[in-house]
Amino acid sequence: MAPKRFARIDRVRDVLARAGTGSWASLAAESGYYDQSHLTADFRSVMGVSPGAFMVGELPAATTCSA
């Protein structure tokens, strides 16, 4: 795994650990994102759904992992 990909996944994990503790905008700033839209785009890229959808249980369809 490329270092940049790992860093993106690690930031999304940080967002998941802090989710529900404040607004998405403040969570984005605390997690090192430039703004909320940057957090949302990164989250969607890694997780397959937006942060809001993920938090209410709207998970993406299961697929096999690709390298």
Short mmCIF file of all heavy atoms in Angstrom, two decimals:
data_model
loop_
_atom_site.label_atom_id
_atom_site.label_comp_id
_atom_site.label_asym_id
_atom_site.label_seq_id
_atom_site.Cartn_x
_atom_site.Cartn_y
_atom_site.Cartn_z
N MET A 1 0.85 -1.17 0.00
CA MET A 1 0.00 0.00 0.00
C MET A 1 0.90 1.23 0.00
O MET A 1 1.87 1.31 0.75
CB MET A 1 -0.89 -0.03 1.24
CG MET A 1 -1.80 1.15 1.35
SD MET A 1 -2.84 1.18 2.82
CE MET A 1 -3.75 -0.31 2.65
N ALA A 2 0.53 2.16 -0.82
CA ALA A 2 1.28 3.41 -0.91
C ALA A 2 1.11 4.23 0.37
O ALA A 2 0.04 4.20 1.00
CB ALA A 2 0.81 4.22 -2.11
N PRO A 3 2.15 4.96 0.79
CA PRO A 3 2.06 5.77 2.01
C PRO A 3 0.91 6.77 2.00
O PRO A 3 0.26 6.99 3.01
CB PRO A 3 3.42 6.48 2.07
CG PRO A 3 4.34 5.62 1.29
CD PRO A 3 3.50 5.00 0.22
N LYS A 4 0.66 7.39 0.84
CA LYS A 4 -0.42 8.38 0.76
C LYS A 4 -1.78 7.71 0.97
O LYS A 4 -2.65 8.25 1.66
CB LYS A 4 -0.39 9.09 -0.59
CG LYS A 4 -1.35 10.24 -0.68
CD LYS A 4 -1.13 11.04 -1.94
CE LYS A 4 -2.07 12.23 -1.95
NZ LYS A 4 -1.84 13.08 -3.11
N ARG A 5 -1.96 6.53 0.41
CA ARG A 5 -3.22 5.78 0.59
C ARG A 5 -3.40 5.42 2.07
O ARG A 5 -4.48 5.55 2.62
CB ARG A 5 -3.20 4.53 -0.28
CG ARG A 5 -4.38 3.62 -0.09
CD ARG A 5 -5.53 4.05 -0.95
NE ARG A 5 -6.60 3.07 -0.86
CZ ARG A 5 -7.87 3.39 -0.85
NH1 ARG A 5 -8.23 4.64 -0.97
NH2 ARG A 5 -8.79 2.47 -0.75
N PHE A 6 -2.33 4.98 2.71
CA PHE A 6 -2.39 4.64 4.13
C PHE A 6 -2.77 5.86 4.96
O PHE A 6 -3.59 5.77 5.88
CB PHE A 6 -1.05 4.07 4.62
CG PHE A 6 -1.05 3.75 6.07
CD1 PHE A 6 -1.60 2.57 6.53
CD2 PHE A 6 -0.53 4.63 7.00
CE1 PHE A 6 -1.63 2.26 7.87
CE2 PHE A 6 -0.55 4.35 8.35
CZ PHE A 6 -1.10 3.16 8.79
N ALA A 7 -2.18 7.00 4.64
CA ALA A 7 -2.48 8.23 5.38
C ALA A 7 -3.96 8.61 5.24
O ALA A 7 -4.59 9.05 6.21
CB ALA A 7 -1.59 9.38 4.89
N ARG A 8 -4.52 8.46 4.04
CA ARG A 8 -5.94 8.76 3.83
C ARG A 8 -6.81 7.84 4.68
O ARG A 8 -7.77 8.29 5.32
CB ARG A 8 -6.31 8.61 2.37
CG ARG A 8 -5.73 9.69 1.49
CD ARG A 8 -6.08 9.49 0.04
NE ARG A 8 -7.50 9.76 -0.14
CZ ARG A 8 -8.19 9.32 -1.18
NH1 ARG A 8 -7.62 8.59 -2.10
NH2 ARG A 8 -9.46 9.62 -1.28
N ILE A 9 -6.50 6.56 4.67
CA ILE A 9 -7.27 5.59 5.46
C ILE A 9 -7.15 5.91 6.94
O ILE A 9 -8.14 5.86 7.68
CB ILE A 9 -6.81 4.16 5.15
CG1 ILE A 9 -7.19 3.79 3.71
CG2 ILE A 9 -7.40 3.16 6.14
CD1 ILE A 9 -6.57 2.50 3.20
N ASP A 10 -5.96 6.28 7.38
CA ASP A 10 -5.75 6.60 8.80
C ASP A 10 -6.55 7.83 9.21
O ASP A 10 -7.13 7.87 10.30
CB ASP A 10 -4.26 6.81 9.07
CG ASP A 10 -3.94 6.82 10.54
OD1 ASP A 10 -4.43 5.93 11.27
OD2 ASP A 10 -3.20 7.72 10.98
N ARG A 11 -6.63 8.84 8.34
CA ARG A 11 -7.43 10.03 8.67
C ARG A 11 -8.91 9.69 8.74
O ARG A 11 -9.63 10.20 9.61
CB ARG A 11 -7.20 11.15 7.66
CG ARG A 11 -5.94 11.92 7.94
CD ARG A 11 -5.97 13.31 7.42
NE ARG A 11 -6.14 13.39 5.97
CZ ARG A 11 -6.08 14.51 5.29
NH1 ARG A 11 -5.86 15.65 5.90
NH2 ARG A 11 -6.24 14.50 3.99
N VAL A 12 -9.38 8.84 7.84
CA VAL A 12 -10.79 8.43 7.88
C VAL A 12 -11.05 7.63 9.16
O VAL A 12 -12.10 7.80 9.79
CB VAL A 12 -11.17 7.63 6.62
CG1 VAL A 12 -12.53 6.97 6.77
CG2 VAL A 12 -11.16 8.53 5.40
N ARG A 13 -10.12 6.81 9.59
CA ARG A 13 -10.28 6.09 10.86
C ARG A 13 -10.38 7.06 12.02
O ARG A 13 -11.15 6.85 12.95
CB ARG A 13 -9.11 5.13 11.08
CG ARG A 13 -9.13 3.93 10.13
CD ARG A 13 -7.97 3.01 10.36
NE ARG A 13 -8.14 2.40 11.67
CZ ARG A 13 -7.13 1.98 12.41
NH1 ARG A 13 -5.89 2.10 12.01
NH2 ARG A 13 -7.36 1.43 13.59
N ASP A 14 -9.60 8.15 11.97
CA ASP A 14 -9.67 9.17 13.01
C ASP A 14 -11.05 9.83 13.01
O ASP A 14 -11.63 10.06 14.08
CB ASP A 14 -8.58 10.23 12.78
CG ASP A 14 -8.54 11.27 13.88
OD1 ASP A 14 -8.44 10.88 15.06
OD2 ASP A 14 -8.61 12.48 13.55
N VAL A 15 -11.59 10.10 11.83
CA VAL A 15 -12.93 10.68 11.73
C VAL A 15 -13.95 9.73 12.34
O VAL A 15 -14.83 10.15 13.10
CB VAL A 15 -13.28 11.00 10.25
CG1 VAL A 15 -14.75 11.31 10.09
CG2 VAL A 15 -12.42 12.15 9.76
N LEU A 16 -13.86 8.45 12.02
CA LEU A 16 -14.80 7.47 12.57
C LEU A 16 -14.71 7.40 14.10
O LEU A 16 -15.72 7.27 14.77
CB LEU A 16 -14.55 6.09 11.97
CG LEU A 16 -14.97 5.94 10.51
CD1 LEU A 16 -14.46 4.62 9.96
CD2 LEU A 16 -16.47 6.04 10.38
N ALA A 17 -13.51 7.49 14.63
CA ALA A 17 -13.32 7.44 16.08
C ALA A 17 -13.94 8.65 16.77
O ALA A 17 -14.43 8.56 17.90
CB ALA A 17 -11.84 7.34 16.42
N ARG A 18 -13.95 9.80 16.09
CA ARG A 18 -14.47 11.04 16.68
C ARG A 18 -15.90 11.37 16.26
O ARG A 18 -16.47 12.35 16.72
CB ARG A 18 -13.59 12.21 16.27
CG ARG A 18 -12.18 12.12 16.77
CD ARG A 18 -11.40 13.26 16.19
NE ARG A 18 -10.00 13.20 16.54
CZ ARG A 18 -9.28 14.26 16.84
NH1 ARG A 18 -9.82 15.45 16.83
NH2 ARG A 18 -8.01 14.12 17.14
N ALA A 19 -16.48 10.60 15.38
CA ALA A 19 -17.81 10.90 14.84
C ALA A 19 -18.83 11.02 15.97
O ALA A 19 -18.81 10.26 16.93
CB ALA A 19 -18.24 9.81 13.86
N GLY A 20 -19.70 11.99 15.83
CA GLY A 20 -20.74 12.22 16.83
C GLY A 20 -20.32 13.14 17.96
O GLY A 20 -21.11 13.41 18.86
N THR A 21 -19.09 13.65 17.93
CA THR A 21 -18.61 14.51 19.01
C THR A 21 -18.74 16.00 18.69
O THR A 21 -18.39 16.82 19.51
CB THR A 21 -17.13 14.21 19.34
OG1 THR A 21 -16.34 14.47 18.18
CG2 THR A 21 -16.95 12.77 19.76
N GLY A 22 -19.23 16.32 17.51
CA GLY A 22 -19.38 17.73 17.13
C GLY A 22 -19.84 17.82 15.69
O GLY A 22 -20.23 16.83 15.08
N SER A 23 -19.74 19.02 15.14
CA SER A 23 -20.16 19.21 13.75
C SER A 23 -19.12 18.59 12.81
O SER A 23 -17.97 18.39 13.17
CB SER A 23 -20.30 20.70 13.45
OG SER A 23 -19.03 21.32 13.41
N TRP A 24 -19.57 18.30 11.58
CA TRP A 24 -18.65 17.74 10.59
C TRP A 24 -17.54 18.72 10.26
O TRP A 24 -16.40 18.34 10.02
CB TRP A 24 -19.40 17.32 9.33
CG TRP A 24 -20.24 16.10 9.54
CD1 TRP A 24 -21.60 16.05 9.57
CD2 TRP A 24 -19.80 14.76 9.77
NE1 TRP A 24 -22.02 14.76 9.80
CE2 TRP A 24 -20.93 13.95 9.92
CE3 TRP A 24 -18.56 14.17 9.87
CZ2 TRP A 24 -20.86 12.58 10.17
CZ3 TRP A 24 -18.47 12.80 10.11
CH2 TRP A 24 -19.61 12.03 10.25
N ALA A 25 -17.85 20.01 10.26
CA ALA A 25 -16.84 21.03 9.94
C ALA A 25 -15.74 21.06 11.01
O ALA A 25 -14.55 21.10 10.68
CB ALA A 25 -17.49 22.39 9.82
N SER A 26 -16.13 21.02 12.28
CA SER A 26 -15.10 21.03 13.33
C SER A 26 -14.34 19.71 13.35
O SER A 26 -13.13 19.69 13.59
CB SER A 26 -15.72 21.32 14.70
OG SER A 26 -16.62 20.31 15.08
N LEU A 27 -15.03 18.63 13.07
CA LEU A 27 -14.36 17.32 13.00
C LEU A 27 -13.33 17.31 11.87
O LEU A 27 -12.24 16.77 12.02
CB LEU A 27 -15.39 16.23 12.80
CG LEU A 27 -14.91 14.79 12.78
CD1 LEU A 27 -14.21 14.43 14.07
CD2 LEU A 27 -16.09 13.87 12.55
N ALA A 28 -13.68 17.93 10.74
CA ALA A 28 -12.74 18.01 9.61
C ALA A 28 -11.48 18.77 10.02
O ALA A 28 -10.36 18.32 9.75
CB ALA A 28 -13.42 18.69 8.43
N ALA A 29 -11.65 19.91 10.67
CA ALA A 29 -10.50 20.70 11.09
C ALA A 29 -9.64 19.96 12.11
O ALA A 29 -8.41 19.97 12.02
CB ALA A 29 -10.98 22.03 11.68
N GLU A 30 -10.27 19.29 13.05
CA GLU A 30 -9.54 18.54 14.08
C GLU A 30 -8.78 17.35 13.51
O GLU A 30 -7.77 16.92 14.06
CB GLU A 30 -10.50 18.05 15.16
CG GLU A 30 -11.11 19.15 15.99
CD GLU A 30 -12.28 18.67 16.83
OE1 GLU A 30 -12.58 17.47 16.83
OE2 GLU A 30 -12.90 19.53 17.49
N SER A 31 -9.27 16.81 12.39
CA SER A 31 -8.65 15.63 11.80
C SER A 31 -7.63 15.98 10.72
O SER A 31 -7.07 15.08 10.10
CB SER A 31 -9.74 14.72 11.20
OG SER A 31 -10.61 14.28 12.22
N GLY A 32 -7.42 17.26 10.48
CA GLY A 32 -6.39 17.68 9.53
C GLY A 32 -6.86 17.92 8.11
O GLY A 32 -6.05 18.07 7.21
N TYR A 33 -8.17 17.98 7.89
CA TYR A 33 -8.70 18.28 6.57
C TYR A 33 -8.76 19.79 6.39
O TYR A 33 -8.91 20.53 7.35
CB TYR A 33 -10.09 17.68 6.38
CG TYR A 33 -10.06 16.18 6.23
CD1 TYR A 33 -10.34 15.35 7.32
CD2 TYR A 33 -9.75 15.60 5.02
CE1 TYR A 33 -10.31 13.97 7.18
CE2 TYR A 33 -9.72 14.22 4.87
CZ TYR A 33 -10.00 13.41 5.94
OH TYR A 33 -9.96 12.06 5.82
N TYR A 34 -8.70 20.22 5.14
CA TYR A 34 -8.77 21.65 4.83
C TYR A 34 -10.16 22.20 5.14
O TYR A 34 -10.29 23.29 5.67
CB TYR A 34 -8.41 21.87 3.36
CG TYR A 34 -8.43 23.31 2.95
CD1 TYR A 34 -7.44 24.18 3.37
CD2 TYR A 34 -9.44 23.81 2.15
CE1 TYR A 34 -7.46 25.51 3.01
CE2 TYR A 34 -9.47 25.13 1.77
CZ TYR A 34 -8.48 25.99 2.21
OH TYR A 34 -8.50 27.30 1.85
N ASP A 35 -11.20 21.43 4.78
CA ASP A 35 -12.56 21.84 5.06
C ASP A 35 -13.48 20.61 5.04
O ASP A 35 -13.03 19.49 4.81
CB ASP A 35 -13.05 22.90 4.07
CG ASP A 35 -12.97 22.45 2.62
OD1 ASP A 35 -12.79 21.25 2.36
OD2 ASP A 35 -13.11 23.31 1.73
N GLN A 36 -14.75 20.84 5.31
CA GLN A 36 -15.71 19.74 5.41
C GLN A 36 -15.88 19.00 4.08
O GLN A 36 -16.01 17.78 4.06
CB GLN A 36 -17.06 20.26 5.89
CG GLN A 36 -18.10 19.17 6.06
CD GLN A 36 -19.42 19.70 6.56
OE1 GLN A 36 -19.50 20.82 7.05
NE2 GLN A 36 -20.46 18.90 6.47
N SER A 37 -15.85 19.73 2.97
CA SER A 37 -16.03 19.07 1.68
C SER A 37 -14.84 18.15 1.36
O SER A 37 -15.02 17.11 0.73
CB SER A 37 -16.24 20.09 0.56
OG SER A 37 -15.11 20.90 0.40
N HIS A 38 -13.65 18.53 1.81
CA HIS A 38 -12.47 17.68 1.65
C HIS A 38 -12.64 16.39 2.46
O HIS A 38 -12.35 15.30 1.97
CB HIS A 38 -11.22 18.45 2.07
CG HIS A 38 -9.93 17.74 1.86
ND1 HIS A 38 -8.80 18.08 2.53
CD2 HIS A 38 -9.59 16.71 1.06
CE1 HIS A 38 -7.81 17.28 2.16
NE2 HIS A 38 -8.27 16.44 1.27
N LEU A 39 -13.12 16.51 3.68
CA LEU A 39 -13.40 15.33 4.51
C LEU A 39 -14.42 14.43 3.83
O LEU A 39 -14.22 13.22 3.73
CB LEU A 39 -13.92 15.76 5.89
CG LEU A 39 -14.32 14.65 6.85
CD1 LEU A 39 -14.11 15.09 8.28
CD2 LEU A 39 -15.75 14.19 6.68
N THR A 40 -15.51 15.01 3.34
CA THR A 40 -16.57 14.23 2.71
C THR A 40 -16.06 13.50 1.48
O THR A 40 -16.35 12.32 1.28
CB THR A 40 -17.76 15.14 2.35
OG1 THR A 40 -18.23 15.78 3.55
CG2 THR A 40 -18.89 14.36 1.72
N ALA A 41 -15.28 14.17 0.65
CA ALA A 41 -14.75 13.54 -0.57
C ALA A 41 -13.80 12.40 -0.22
O ALA A 41 -13.86 11.32 -0.83
CB ALA A 41 -14.05 14.58 -1.42
N ASP A 42 -12.92 12.62 0.75
CA ASP A 42 -11.98 11.59 1.17
C ASP A 42 -12.72 10.40 1.79
O ASP A 42 -12.42 9.24 1.48
CB ASP A 42 -11.00 12.18 2.19
CG ASP A 42 -9.59 11.67 2.02
OD1 ASP A 42 -9.27 11.12 0.96
OD2 ASP A 42 -8.80 11.86 2.96
N PHE A 43 -13.69 10.67 2.63
CA PHE A 43 -14.48 9.63 3.28
C PHE A 43 -15.21 8.80 2.24
O PHE A 43 -15.18 7.57 2.28
CB PHE A 43 -15.48 10.26 4.26
CG PHE A 43 -16.11 9.29 5.20
CD1 PHE A 43 -15.62 9.14 6.49
CD2 PHE A 43 -17.20 8.51 4.83
CE1 PHE A 43 -16.21 8.25 7.38
CE2 PHE A 43 -17.79 7.63 5.70
CZ PHE A 43 -17.29 7.49 6.99
N ARG A 44 -15.85 9.46 1.28
CA ARG A 44 -16.59 8.76 0.24
C ARG A 44 -15.65 7.90 -0.61
O ARG A 44 -15.98 6.78 -0.98
CB ARG A 44 -17.33 9.74 -0.65
CG ARG A 44 -18.25 9.08 -1.66
CD ARG A 44 -18.93 10.10 -2.56
NE ARG A 44 -19.65 11.14 -1.86
CZ ARG A 44 -20.92 11.06 -1.50
NH1 ARG A 44 -21.62 9.99 -1.79
NH2 ARG A 44 -21.50 12.07 -0.88
N SER A 45 -14.46 8.39 -0.87
CA SER A 45 -13.48 7.65 -1.66
C SER A 45 -13.03 6.38 -0.94
O SER A 45 -12.89 5.32 -1.55
CB SER A 45 -12.27 8.54 -1.95
OG SER A 45 -11.26 7.82 -2.56
N VAL A 46 -12.82 6.48 0.36
CA VAL A 46 -12.33 5.33 1.13
C VAL A 46 -13.47 4.39 1.52
O VAL A 46 -13.34 3.16 1.40
CB VAL A 46 -11.59 5.82 2.41
CG1 VAL A 46 -11.25 4.66 3.33
CG2 VAL A 46 -10.32 6.57 2.02
N MET A 47 -14.60 4.93 1.97
CA MET A 47 -15.67 4.11 2.52
C MET A 47 -16.79 3.77 1.54
O MET A 47 -17.58 2.87 1.79
CB MET A 47 -16.29 4.81 3.73
CG MET A 47 -15.30 5.09 4.85
SD MET A 47 -14.56 3.60 5.54
CE MET A 47 -15.95 2.92 6.41
N GLY A 48 -16.89 4.52 0.43
CA GLY A 48 -17.92 4.23 -0.56
C GLY A 48 -19.23 4.95 -0.37
O GLY A 48 -20.11 4.87 -1.22
N VAL A 49 -19.40 5.64 0.74
CA VAL A 49 -20.61 6.44 1.02
C VAL A 49 -20.19 7.70 1.76
O VAL A 49 -19.08 7.79 2.29
CB VAL A 49 -21.64 5.66 1.87
CG1 VAL A 49 -22.22 4.50 1.11
CG2 VAL A 49 -21.05 5.21 3.19
N SER A 50 -21.10 8.66 1.84
CA SER A 50 -20.79 9.89 2.58
C SER A 50 -20.77 9.61 4.08
O SER A 50 -21.32 8.61 4.55
CB SER A 50 -21.85 10.95 2.28
OG SER A 50 -23.09 10.56 2.84
N PRO A 51 -20.13 10.49 4.86
CA PRO A 51 -20.10 10.28 6.31
C PRO A 51 -21.50 10.21 6.94
O PRO A 51 -21.76 9.36 7.79
CB PRO A 51 -19.34 11.50 6.85
CG PRO A 51 -18.57 12.01 5.70
CD PRO A 51 -19.35 11.65 4.48
N GLY A 52 -22.40 11.09 6.50
CA GLY A 52 -23.76 11.07 7.04
C GLY A 52 -24.48 9.77 6.76
O GLY A 52 -25.15 9.21 7.63
N ALA A 53 -24.36 9.29 5.53
CA ALA A 53 -24.99 8.02 5.17
C ALA A 53 -24.40 6.87 5.97
O ALA A 53 -25.13 5.99 6.45
CB ALA A 53 -24.83 7.76 3.67
N PHE A 54 -23.10 6.88 6.15
CA PHE A 54 -22.44 5.82 6.92
C PHE A 54 -22.94 5.80 8.36
O PHE A 54 -23.21 4.75 8.93
CB PHE A 54 -20.92 6.00 6.89
CG PHE A 54 -20.17 4.89 7.55
CD1 PHE A 54 -19.85 3.74 6.85
CD2 PHE A 54 -19.78 4.99 8.88
CE1 PHE A 54 -19.16 2.70 7.46
CE2 PHE A 54 -19.09 3.97 9.50
CZ PHE A 54 -18.78 2.82 8.79
N MET A 55 -23.10 6.99 8.94
CA MET A 55 -23.50 7.08 10.35
C MET A 55 -24.93 6.60 10.58
O MET A 55 -25.25 6.16 11.69
CB MET A 55 -23.32 8.51 10.86
CG MET A 55 -21.87 8.98 10.89
SD MET A 55 -20.75 7.86 11.74
CE MET A 55 -21.30 8.05 13.41
N VAL A 56 -25.79 6.68 9.56
CA VAL A 56 -27.17 6.19 9.73
C VAL A 56 -27.33 4.75 9.24
O VAL A 56 -28.43 4.23 9.18
CB VAL A 56 -28.21 7.12 9.07
CG1 VAL A 56 -28.20 8.48 9.72
CG2 VAL A 56 -28.02 7.19 7.57
N GLY A 57 -26.22 4.12 8.88
CA GLY A 57 -26.26 2.71 8.53
C GLY A 57 -26.43 2.39 7.07
O GLY A 57 -26.63 1.24 6.70
N GLU A 58 -26.35 3.39 6.20
CA GLU A 58 -26.45 3.15 4.76
C GLU A 58 -25.07 2.77 4.23
O GLU A 58 -24.30 3.60 3.79
CB GLU A 58 -26.97 4.38 4.04
CG GLU A 58 -28.38 4.75 4.43
CD GLU A 58 -28.86 6.03 3.78
OE1 GLU A 58 -28.24 6.48 2.78
OE2 GLU A 58 -29.83 6.60 4.27
N LEU A 59 -24.77 1.49 4.29
CA LEU A 59 -23.45 1.00 3.91
C LEU A 59 -23.43 0.60 2.44
O LEU A 59 -24.45 0.19 1.88
CB LEU A 59 -23.08 -0.19 4.79
CG LEU A 59 -23.16 0.06 6.29
CD1 LEU A 59 -22.79 -1.20 7.05
CD2 LEU A 59 -22.27 1.21 6.70
N PRO A 60 -22.26 0.70 1.80
CA PRO A 60 -22.16 0.30 0.40
C PRO A 60 -22.28 -1.22 0.27
O PRO A 60 -22.07 -1.95 1.23
CB PRO A 60 -20.78 0.78 -0.01
CG PRO A 60 -19.99 0.81 1.25
CD PRO A 60 -20.98 1.17 2.32
N ALA A 61 -22.63 -1.66 -0.92
CA ALA A 61 -22.70 -3.09 -1.18
C ALA A 61 -21.31 -3.71 -1.02
O ALA A 61 -20.30 -3.11 -1.35
CB ALA A 61 -23.21 -3.33 -2.59
N ALA A 62 -21.28 -4.92 -0.47
CA ALA A 62 -20.01 -5.62 -0.27
C ALA A 62 -19.40 -6.00 -1.61
O ALA A 62 -20.08 -6.44 -2.52
CB ALA A 62 -20.24 -6.87 0.57
N THR A 63 -18.10 -5.78 -1.72
CA THR A 63 -17.36 -6.17 -2.93
C THR A 63 -16.05 -6.80 -2.50
O THR A 63 -15.63 -6.66 -1.34
CB THR A 63 -17.05 -4.95 -3.83
OG1 THR A 63 -16.27 -4.02 -3.07
CG2 THR A 63 -18.32 -4.28 -4.32
N THR A 64 -15.38 -7.45 -3.41
CA THR A 64 -14.08 -8.03 -3.09
C THR A 64 -13.04 -6.92 -3.10
O THR A 64 -13.17 -5.92 -3.81
CB THR A 64 -13.70 -9.11 -4.11
OG1 THR A 64 -13.71 -8.54 -5.41
CG2 THR A 64 -14.66 -10.28 -4.06
N CYS A 65 -11.99 -7.10 -2.34
CA CYS A 65 -10.91 -6.13 -2.28
C CYS A 65 -10.08 -6.19 -3.54
O CYS A 65 -9.90 -7.26 -4.12
CB CYS A 65 -10.01 -6.40 -1.07
SG CYS A 65 -10.83 -6.15 0.49
N SER A 66 -9.56 -5.06 -3.96
CA SER A 66 -8.67 -5.02 -5.11
C SER A 66 -7.38 -4.35 -4.70
O SER A 66 -7.37 -3.46 -3.85
CB SER A 66 -9.31 -4.30 -6.28
OG SER A 66 -9.59 -2.97 -5.91
N ALA A 67 -6.31 -4.76 -5.28
CA ALA A 67 -5.00 -4.21 -4.92
C ALA A 67 -4.67 -2.95 -5.65
O ALA A 67 -5.16 -2.55 -6.59
CB ALA A 67 -3.92 -5.24 -5.19
#
